[in-house]
């Protein structure tokens, strides 16, 4: 019965395991054995997937699982006090399940609600703006038998999916730009695309200058062209709705308010490259949006905008929703594809690139939510309209998720090219002493750099802009970001798996005042090694919190180090010992420098 709907397809392993988790509250050994026999996989393969994702458990969980967001913004907004209130009211510690099996309490990394922190997931609903008092009330209500949904509204099930979503989460749209957050006509872009040759569609996207909005900035039209030009029977369109970068939540707003536009953009991409299948990969933390998106997809099928013969043409395309299960790494393109294939979310070795060999070895276009939405608007309004907005090589508008120490946290749609200072003025963050542009894997800048430009050419960001005032401890922020990477590394390659642990420990030394000047060189050297030798973007960006703060906040580090004279010094100098030996043997350096390679 659990496999109903997805059959025994091993590529739907994540759906199967999620269904088992929902039903049994854990992935029991017996369930794993049964799934293995039904899907034709080995038991160890099933266990490999089950053990990879944070939201899948191999130990029994409570009927209700409270996941407290442990992001640095939530910490600064009072999550430690909220957690303590939950612990006191429930009589368990974070990481435990109550003896009666009613409630589990745990921490989870950023759940995409930094603009209304502290926040938590309670089963499939989310609660925001928590206080210790509210935590106590929630715990009491759950103990009294209320469902998590009833915590949102007593008539929760009578609400529409959109009402359910917006009762839980504020959109916090602070500035609507011309492309996405101002009112948009329904279906105008697709209607025009259906009258165009696929080559023209791609040319239009290329001419617009649209670049991937997830942070990497690869040309969207170029990506579509590569996929279209690859010989294949089937092609795939995947939407990356797994925005897990700490401090990023702008796709959450698009998924809530522009799901039709997103589906339209994916359909236009399918028309352009000749794809018949689409996957919308929704991060597990956004499970509260599942019904809303499913409703929109069904509405589009009913209107002939998805499914067979779209627009009365010989064009078939449909989208399935794939729910993630709590893994930051699945925001990486290859890991996302692995996860869609029912595998652990591990990145893939490149080349080949997904546009030629992606999902199940088929040419695959992966773009994020914002990129597909822009594509639909470009087809409606034209390439020139889009490319006229922005700055140099960064065309169009960008959605910024602003959170932290500012008066007006939320989503701002603005043309590329504004300065950090201008964005801070809009968000009421003029007191900022530091800004993390691009989240944990981005760039931490200090006050003297606030005139830098938000664009691909200067400060690129997938959307995260986290503001910190002067009372915040920079090293605490860096230590948190490094612990995040330690937690989220998929573990495939040693430099990332082990190196980030060492970096995290080293930052701990600075925080405790136990570091010496040599430790700064150690941080730089180890960071360089991790960047050079890691396989995917997580490893190659994970040292950035350290490197960018070493560069932009040198005094923070200098203030914590102790001079080396206070520490144990090496008593053996190998270079001077060699010089002594040369001298005693009356030999010059030539014997040591001789080249034996011939
Ligand atoms: Fe996994 Fe890190 Fe290696 Fe990426 S760099 S493949 S996250 S271990």
């Amino acid at each position: 019965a659990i496999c109903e709907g997805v059959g025994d397809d091993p590529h739907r392993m994540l759906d199967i395991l999620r269904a088992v988790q929902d039903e049994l509250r854990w992935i029991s050994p017996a369930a794993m054995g049964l799934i293995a026999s039904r899907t034709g996989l080995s038991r160890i393969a099933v266990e490999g997937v089950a053990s990879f994702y944070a939201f899948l458990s191999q130990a029994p969980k409570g009927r209700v699982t409270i996941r407290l967001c442990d992001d640095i913004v939530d910490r600064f907004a009072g999550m430690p006090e909220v957690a303590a209130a939950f612990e006191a009211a429930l009589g368990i510690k974070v990481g435990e399940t109550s003896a009666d099996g009613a409630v589990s309490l745990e921490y989870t990394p950023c759940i995409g609600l930094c603009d209304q922190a502290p926040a938590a997931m309670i089963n499939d609903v989310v609660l925001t703006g928590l206080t210790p008092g509210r935590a106590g009330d929630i715990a009491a209500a759950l103990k009294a038998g209320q469902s998590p949904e009833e915590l949102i509204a007593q008539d929760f099930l009578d609400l529409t999916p959109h009402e359910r979503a917006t009762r839980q989460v504020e959109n916090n749209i602070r500035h609507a730009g011309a492309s996405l957050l101002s009112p948009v006509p329904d279906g105008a872009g697709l209607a025009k695309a259906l009258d165009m040759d696929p080559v023209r569609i791609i040319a239009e996207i290329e001419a617009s200058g649209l670049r991937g909005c997830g942070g990497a900035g690869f040309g969207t039209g170029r990506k579509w062209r590569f996929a279209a030009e690859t010989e294949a029977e089937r092609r795939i369109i995947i939407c990356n709705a797994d925005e897990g970068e700490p401090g990023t939540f702008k796709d959450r707003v698009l998924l809530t308010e522009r799901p039709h536009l997103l589906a339209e953009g994916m359909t236009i991409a399918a028309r352009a490259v000749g794809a018949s299948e689409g996957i919308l990969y929704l991060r597990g933390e956004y499970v509260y949006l599942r019904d809303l998106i499913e409703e929109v997809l069904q509405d589009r099928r009913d209107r002939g905008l998805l499914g067979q013969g779209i627009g009365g043409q010989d064009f078939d395309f449909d989208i399935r929703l794939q729910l993630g299960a709590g893994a930051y790494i699945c925001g990486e393109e290859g890991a996302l594809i692995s996860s869609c294939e029912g595998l652990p979310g591990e990145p893939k070795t490149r080349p080949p690139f997904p546009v030629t060999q992606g999902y199940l070895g088929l040419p695959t276009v992966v773009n994020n939510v914002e990129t597909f939405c822009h594509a639909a608007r470009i087809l409606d309004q034209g390439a020139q309209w889009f490319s006229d907005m922005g700055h140099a090589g960064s065309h169009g508008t960008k959605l910024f998720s602003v959170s932290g120490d500012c008066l007006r946290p939320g989503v701002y749609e603005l043309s590329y090219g504004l300065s950090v200072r201008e964005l801070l003025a809009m968000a009421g963050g003029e007191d900022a002493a530091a800004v993390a542009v691009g989240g944990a894997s981005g760039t931490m800048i200090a006050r003297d750099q606030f005139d830098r430009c938000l664009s691909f050419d200067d400060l690129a960001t997938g959307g995260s802009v986290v503001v910190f005032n002067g009372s915040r401890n920079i090293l605490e922020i860096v230590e948190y970001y490094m612990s995040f990477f330690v937690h989220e590394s998929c573990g495939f390659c040693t430099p990332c798996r082990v190196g980030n642990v060492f970096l995290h420990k080293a930052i701990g030394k600075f925080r405790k005042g136990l570091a010496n000047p040599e430790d700064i060189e150690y941080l730089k050297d180890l960071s360089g090694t991790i960047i050079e030798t890691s396989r995917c973007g997580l490893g190659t960006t994970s040292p950035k919190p350290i490197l960018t703060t070493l560069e932009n906040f040198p005094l923070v580090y200098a203030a914590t180090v102790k001079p080396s004279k206070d520490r144990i010094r090496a008593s053996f100098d190998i270079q001077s010992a060699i010089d002594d030996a040369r001298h005693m043997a009356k030999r010059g350096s030539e014997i040591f420098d001789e080249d034996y390679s011939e």
Side-chain angles (χ1 to χ4, degrees):
I2 280 173
C3 291
E4 197 181 331
V6 295
D8 298 336
D9 184 354
H11 299 123
R12 303 294 295 277
M13 183 58 70
L14 202 49
D15 293 323
I16 295 170
L17 292 172
R18 281 199 66 110
V20 171
Q21 175 81 40
D22 288 347
E23 185 74 19
L24 305 180
R25 291 183 279 130
W26 67 309
I27 315 292
S28 66
M32 275 192 270
L34 189 60
I35 293 167
S37 68
R38 290 281 300 266
T39 55
L41 295 179
S42 66
R43 157 76 194 270
I44 195 77
V46 175
E47 195 168 343
V49 183
S51 61
F52 186 85
Y53 296 91
F55 289 0
L56 303 177
S57 173
Q58 289 166 79
K61 287 272 181 180
R63 287 184 289 282
V64 172
T65 296
I66 301 173
R67 295 189 171 97
L68 307 172
C69 183
D70 189 33
D71 185 70
I72 192 72
V73 172
D74 289 66
R75 288 188 190 184
F76 288 160
M79 182 53 87
E81 294 75 20
V82 169
F86 270 119
E87 288 181 331
L90 295 169
I92 54 174
K93 295 283 176 202
V94 174
E96 294 179 350
T97 297
S98 61
D100 61 358
V103 185
S104 295
L105 185 64
E106 56 191 48
Y107 281 126
T108 192
C110 184
I111 61 173
L113 293 163
C114 295
D115 55 332
Q116 40 216 295
M121 296 178 71
I122 304 190
N123 284 1
D124 287 354
V125 302
V126 291
L127 293 166
T128 62
L130 295 173
T131 60
R134 184 135 183 259
D137 294 344
I138 291 167
L142 292 172
K143 276 182 167 176
Q146 270 201 12
S147 69
E149 289 74 16
E150 286 169 328
L151 295 170
I152 305 299
Q154 286 297 325
D155 59 347
F156 187 82
L157 295 177
D158 297 330
L159 302 174
T160 66
H162 186 267
E163 286 170 339
R164 288 182 208 163
T166 50
R167 285 280 179 96
Q168 295 173 65
V169 175
E170 297 281 341
N171 284 321
N172 281 336
I173 297 172
R174 304 290 185 176
H175 189 273
S179 184
L180 304 182
L181 295 180
S182 293
V184 296
D186 183 14
L190 179 59
K192 290 182 182 168
L194 288 171
D195 283 338
M196 291 165 71
D197 184 74
V199 175
R200 271 271 335 272
I201 297 174
I202 293 174
E204 194 74 4
I205 297 293
E206 284 200 271
S208 74
L210 175 64
R211 296 168 69 170
C213 301
F218 192 83
T220 304
R222 211 164 144 226
K223 184 182 271 192
W224 292 13
R225 183 158 50 82
F226 287 151
E229 289 172 355
T230 302
E231 285 292 322
E233 291 282 306
R234 290 164 62 199
R235 297 182 185 81
I236 309 292
I237 304 294
I238 295 182
C239 173
N240 184 345
D242 192 43
E243 59 172 354
E245 189 64 47
T248 311
F249 47 83
K250 46 90 187 174
D251 286 348
R252 180 197 85 208
V253 174
L254 291 175
L255 289 160
T256 308
E257 298 304 328
R258 297 288 179 267
H260 274 291
L261 192 67
L262 167 59
E264 191 181 332
M266 291 179 71
T267 310
I268 290 167
R271 164 93 176 159
V273 309
S276 56
E277 296 163 57
I279 301 171
L280 198 169
Y281 189 96
L282 182 69
R283 68 184 305 221
E285 291 81 351
Y286 290 172
V287 63
Y288 77 99
L289 293 171
R290 174 175 48 189
D291 290 351
L292 187 161
I293 294 167
E294 290 284 20
E295 183 186 63
V296 164
L297 295 179
Q298 189 55 49
D299 175 64
R300 296 186 73 81
R301 286 182 199 109
D302 294 344
R303 293 162 56 204
L305 300 172
L306 275 182
Q308 300 207 317
I310 294 171
Q313 299 190 10
D314 181 20
F315 169 36
D316 302 341
F317 177 68
D318 210 337
I319 299 171
R320 80 167 165 89
L321 185 68
Q322 173 68 64
L323 203 56
Y328 166 78
I329 187 61
C330 289
E332 196 273 343
E333 194 174 56
L336 184 86
I337 291 170
S338 297
S339 192
C340 289
E341 292 172 333
L343 300 169
E346 285 169 355
K348 295 176 185 285
T349 302
R350 301 162 174 240
F353 291 93
V355 281
T356 57
Q357 272 180 265
Y359 178 73
L360 303 181
L362 301 164
T364 303
V365 166
V366 182
N367 283 130
N368 94 338
V369 174
E370 188 179 351
T371 312
F372 281 124
C373 288
H374 279 308
R377 296 288 290 138
I378 289 164
L379 263 291
D380 177 26
Q381 296 288 308
Q384 193 67 48
W385 164 82
F386 190 81
S387 73
D388 282 348
M389 295 185 281
H391 168 84
S394 308
H395 299 281
T397 65
K398 175 83 192 96
L399 267 58
F400 298 100
S401 322
V402 184
S403 65
D405 297 317
C406 58
L407 298 175
R408 292 175 290 280
V411 175
Y412 294 76
E413 184 189 5
L414 298 157
S415 294
Y416 275 114
L418 82 161
S419 69
V420 173
R421 193 180 303 284
E422 288 169 313
L423 183 56
L424 288 173
M426 294 178 81
E430 291 93 337
D431 290 343
V435 178
V437 181
S441 63
T443 303
M444 182 88 88
I445 59 167
R447 259 193 207 115
D448 60 352
Q449 297 174 313
F450 286 176
D451 289 320
R452 288 180 65 181
C453 172
L454 291 158
S455 69
F456 289 111
D457 301 324
D458 188 358
L459 287 170
T461 169
S464 174
V465 177
V466 186
V467 184
F468 299 105
N469 66 31
S471 75
R472 307 303 184 191
N473 181 336
I474 294 293
L475 290 177
E476 182 182 355
I477 299 164
V478 174
E479 188 177 42
Y480 166 75
Y481 283 153
M482 294 318 299
S483 73
F484 172 80
F485 287 123
V486 168
H487 185 262
E488 298 298 333
S489 166
C490 83
F492 180 87
C493 34
T494 308
C496 172
R497 184 182 67 245
V498 179
N500 282 316
V501 173
F502 287 152
L503 285 181
H504 178 242
K505 280 189 176 163
I507 288 294
K509 272 178 79 178
F510 282 88
R511 281 204 71 197
K512 290 178 193 143
L514 298 174
N516 58 41
E518 290 78 23
D519 287 317
I520 290 180
E521 291 312 308
Y522 171 77
L523 287 176
K524 290 179 181 170
D525 288 349
L526 182 53
S527 294
T529 302
I530 295 171
I531 289 169
E532 274 173 31
T533 55
S534 290
R535 185 166 74 146
C536 84
L538 187 150
T540 57
T541 56
S542 59
K544 285 187 77 177
I546 291 176
L547 293 178
T548 61
T549 50
L550 276 171
E551 187 177 342
N552 299 328
F553 300 86
L555 296 181
V556 168
Y557 287 86
T560 64
V561 295
K562 283 199 164 58
S564 294
K565 67 180 175 48
D566 292 349
R567 314 201 53 86
I568 299 169
R569 283 167 174 272
S571 59
F572 180 69
D573 181 343
I574 190 166
Q575 191 55 52
S576 65
I578 290 171
D579 289 344
D580 287 346
R582 282 174 174 157
H583 181 72
M584 283 190 285
K586 297 193 174 18
R587 302 291 296 270
S589 62
E590 67 280 358
I591 189 168
F592 299 99
D593 296 337
E594 202 161 343
D595 184 359
Y596 294 101
S597 62
E598 294 296 312

